[in-house]
Amino acid sequence: MNAQPIPQHPSPQDRPARLNVGVVGAGRVGPSLAAALRLAGHRPVAASGVSDASVRRAADLLPGVPLVPPAEVLARADLVLLTVPDDVLPGLVAGLAETGAVRPGQLIVHTSGRHGTAVLDPARRAGALPLALHPAMTFTGTQLDVERLAGCPFGVTAPDELRLAAEALVIEMGGEPEWIAESTRPLYHAALAIGSNHLVTLVAQAMDLLRTAGVAAPDRMLGPLLGAALDNVLRSGDAALTGPVARGDAGTVAAHIAELRTHAPHAVAGYLAMARTTADRALAHGLLKPELAEDLLGVLADGGNE
């Protein structure tokens, strides 16, 4: 008899049985997670999606898996991934429960950052097992996402009796589970949005301004600077703050605002908001000297106007 491989994570008693996996919402996230579960031995059996992009993603990441209506996905699957936008999720769950699509004992997993398991209460009342597993990663909807899941943190919320199963699924996808209380899910998600989504906006805006200043390759100019800044702040927090605001260079900040008003007036509000927040943090951590802060905060309050 051939010996069975010994699983590394999780332990055998906690490891979920091999499951038929369905995906409701073939956006960027769902097919990638299902593909990762396939690598762990589970069986993607159905997905739902109607846009051309959804069809392409499913064909690329889940070859051979049929696209069917959401109710049919639930009929075929033991584990259902609800990978739809946050605001769509409550109505979807309620609708599936009301139509009898949810089966007792079925694992219903959503990937919303904002919501915990309360949003799955209609499915729970129908006998489903609710899990909230949010990958803290941006997705491209390609095979690259499956590779990036290695070591990716997941915000995990589940009833106590399902905690081991939730963490085991995350580990099987290559991720690292981080327990998030139901009550703090919105705050957790807000933190990720500030750190990730707003970062993209800031970097894209910086690239636009560099192009306006005549820099031919703003990505190459920003790459080393931003890479070092990100590494420094992850290591040192607010101690990594540098630049004219942290130094209290009120004249330089005023010049920045004047230039933005001339060349990129749409960027002024964002600059002022971030500069004020930076000044507050620099003051609180002893980086901005109080005697220099008065002039700086005056410039920011005035918006750079003479």
Side-chain angles (χ1 to χ4, degrees):
M1 183 173 68
N2 294 331
Q4 295 297 313
I6 300 173
Q8 295 180 351
H9 304 292
S11 60
Q13 64 267 29
D14 298 332
R15 189 182 179 95
R18 303 304 88 188
L19 301 169
N20 290 334
V21 178
V23 178
V24 176
R28 296 181 181 183
V29 178
S32 298
L33 297 186
L37 288 169
R38 170 180 272 169
L39 291 176
H42 299 287
R43 297 176 295 273
V45 294
S48 70
V50 294
S51 70
D52 291 342
S54 295
V55 172
R56 288 194 300 270
R57 276 190 290 267
D60 180 43
L61 289 164
L62 303 174
V65 173
L67 289 176
V68 298
E72 182 64 22
V73 173
L74 269 71
R76 300 185 186 193
D78 308 307
L79 165 63
V80 181
L81 301 174
L82 303 181
T83 52
V84 297
D86 291 2
D87 288 355
V88 173
L89 183 61
L92 173 65
V93 175
L96 291 171
E98 288 170 3
T99 58
V102 179
R103 301 196 312 272
Q106 194 170 41
L107 282 164
I108 303 293
V109 178
H110 77 69
T111 59
S112 164
R114 168 191 167 192
H115 294 288
T117 57
V119 72
L120 298 175
D121 278 349
R124 179 174 11 207
R125 288 193 290 270
L129 307 177
L131 306 175
L133 309 179
H134 175 250
M137 186 180 82
T138 58
F139 284 77
T140 64
T142 68
Q143 189 65 36
L144 179 63
D145 297 331
V146 182
E147 300 167 11
R148 286 178 173 172
L149 283 172
C152 171
F154 277 67
V156 177
T157 304
D160 288 344
E161 65 272 19
L162 295 177
R163 180 166 178 164
L164 288 178
E167 292 179 339
L169 284 171
V170 169
I171 291 170
E172 286 197 319
M173 287 185 281
E176 297 182 0
E178 178 71 32
W179 188 255
I180 307 295
E182 180 84 22
S183 61
T184 60
R185 289 288 292 207
L187 179 61
Y188 152 81
H189 194 229
L192 295 183
I194 290 171
S196 175
N197 305 148
H198 295 181
L199 176 63
V200 172
T201 300
L202 288 170
V203 174
Q205 188 173 75
M207 292 173 66
D208 288 344
L209 295 173
L210 285 172
R211 290 189 189 97
T212 302
V215 175
D219 54 337
R220 291 207 301 269
M221 175 165 281
L222 285 173
L225 174 66
L226 299 186
L230 179 59
D231 183 64
N232 289 344
V233 70
L234 291 176
R235 292 173 183 270
S236 305
D238 286 289
L241 274 174
T242 62
V245 172
R247 291 192 298 265
D249 292 342
T252 298
V253 171
H256 287 176
I257 298 169
E259 286 298 296
L260 291 175
R261 287 196 185 283
T262 299
H263 299 287
H266 61 278
V268 172
Y271 182 96
L272 289 171
M274 289 304 301
R276 288 167 185 146
T277 300
T278 300
D280 289 343
R281 298 189 73 91
L283 267 172
H285 289 81
L287 300 172
L288 174 58
K289 296 178 181 179
E291 61 269 24
L292 298 177
E294 185 175 354
D295 286 346
L296 173 68
L297 293 175
V299 168
L300 295 175
D302 185 52
N305 295 317
E306 294 297 333

